[in-house]
Amino acid sequence: MTAAIEVRGLTKTYRRRRGTYRALAGLDLVVEQGGVHGFLGPNGSGKTTTIRVLLGLARADGGTAQLLGHDVPSRLPDVVGHVGALVENPNFLPGMAGRTQLQLLATSVGVPRTRVEEVLELVRLRDRADERVRGYSLGMRQRLGIAAALLKDPRLLILDEPSNGLDPAGMKEMRDLVRELGTGGRTVFLSSHLLSEVQQVCDRVSIMAGGRCLVQGPVDEVLAAHQQAGVVLSVDPPDVAAAVLREAGYDVVDAGRGRLRVGGTGRPVDDPAQLTRLLGARDLWLRELVPAATDLESAYLEITGGQGLGA
Ligand SMILES: Nc1ncnc2c1ncn2[C@@H]1O[C@H](COP(=O)(O)OP(=O)(O)OP(=O)(O)O)[C@@H](O)[C@H]1O
Ligand SMILES: [Mg+2]
């Protein structure tokens, strides 16, 4: 099947007052059709630049890009009817009702007005649609932007950080909406620097850093490949416990805040009871024992070489 998005060797250099800046450094990216694909990366890693290039809003210096099998920007007119996008904050007229603005948009893109009601329903704005946009919350504006992007019933929906600035309830609503939009064969390409959002919503993920894609694949596989082995435990005093465990052949490292990670390399922790027995025999008692973190955040930090968020 044709990929929803395929990018090969994309480069983009911005000229700045003092020299140049390489925002994309040979980006390769394949987004298969269907489901929600997370496009994850720290601030400044090139996510928005990639999306702008895909939509013909910025020009790449080198490489190729395709949307649904069509070269962009050269064949963009052939595919634009199948692609919807929300990039940065959507621009609506504050003094006009949401429904009216969608109706005007629908007319301009040749979509029947009945579709306006469908998209309002999808983004759960129908009962507020006659109010002026001025009175909308940020979350409602984002949802109105998504409604506009959905008018053409696109096969590919590109969302650039739709949860930016939303409160926890707004973020939850956005996650539910994104998940729903990624069903029925549609592809949602969701850029985000929020790991938990990607982990909760996406089927697949591409992880960016420094204008390149470092890892891509199903979220589970990315997690499995970067899973930290062993368990983390808290025990007092940690240095005495560490010595006991090392003596028994375990690899022990400091996991911060007085905790130890046991079993990374060396003797595997097949059964945590081995550890409790060993330590208990020396009158060392566990306060906590949990599997070593296997969340996307640890994997992400490992993949991006510790380049935390906001890097
Ligand atoms: N118009 C521009 N002129 C100069 N530099 C730019 C321009 N647009 C982006 N950049 C730079 O290119 C790099 C990549 O920016 P981009 O906006 O693509 O990152 P991002 O991954 O979307 O980050 P964020 O998570 O903050 O949205 C950044 O260092 C940014 O400062
Ligand atoms: Mg961005």
Side-chain angles (χ1 to χ4, degrees), residues 113-155:
R113 281 189 167 203
T114 47
R115 179 68 188 153
V116 170
E117 298 312 308
E118 285 172 15
V119 296
L120 282 172
E121 183 72 45
L122 257 173
V123 303
R124 296 176 198 94
L125 267 185
R126 229 175 148 177
D127 53 339
R128 307 284 303 270
D130 286 326
E131 292 173 29
R132 291 174 183 195
V133 168
R134 181 178 291 130
Y136 282 16
S137 68
L138 183 61
M140 288 167 71
R141 284 174 207 219
Q142 293 291 77
R143 282 185 282 140
L144 188 62
I146 293 179
L150 286 170
L151 279 173
K152 293 176 289 181
D153 197 8
R155 283 161 58 198

Side-chain angles (χ1 to χ4, degrees), residues 14 16 21 23 42-49 161 193:
Y14 287 111
R16 287 183 180 168
Y21 184 83
N43 292 137
S45 55
K47 303 180 297 294
T48 300
T49 301
E161 310 238 18
H193 63 267

Side-chain angles (χ1 to χ4, degrees), residues 231-244:
V231 296
V232 173
L233 49 86
S234 332
V235 58
D236 264 335
D239 48 342
V240 178
V244 169

Side-chain angles (χ1 to χ4, degrees), residues 156-280:
L156 170 63
L157 181 65
I158 298 178
L159 303 177
D160 191 15
E161 310 238 18
S163 299
N164 235 0
L166 302 190
D167 63 17
M171 283 169 69
K172 162 95 173 57
E173 277 177 11
M174 187 58 74
R175 281 200 299 274
D176 293 344
L177 175 61
V178 167
R179 210 178 288 124
E180 190 179 332
L181 294 175
T183 58
R186 185 187 284 122
T187 312
V188 180
F189 185 60
L190 172 78
S191 101
S192 177
H193 63 267
L194 301 171
L195 300 146
S196 59
E197 177 175 61
V198 166
Q199 190 165 1
Q200 287 177 64
V201 172
C202 298
D203 310 298
R204 302 173 67 86
V205 64
S206 299
I207 300 183
M208 292 277 285
R212 274 200 190 90
C213 176
L214 301 183
V215 168
Q216 58 183 318
V219 171
D220 307 345
E221 282 179 23
V222 170
L223 286 177
H226 296 272
Q227 196 158 354
Q228 299 204 349
V231 296
V232 173
L233 49 86
S234 332
V235 58
D236 264 335
D239 48 342
V240 178
V244 169
L245 293 167
R246 287 198 183 106
E247 212 174 278
Y250 292 105
D251 170 61
V252 183
V253 293
D254 184 356
R257 285 179 285 139
R259 298 166 316 145
L260 304 172
R261 183 155 71 85
V262 184
T265 55
R267 182 174 170 185
V269 181
D270 302 319
D271 179 2
Q274 294 165 342
L275 305 181
T276 47
R277 210 173 295 128
L278 194 64
L279 294 170

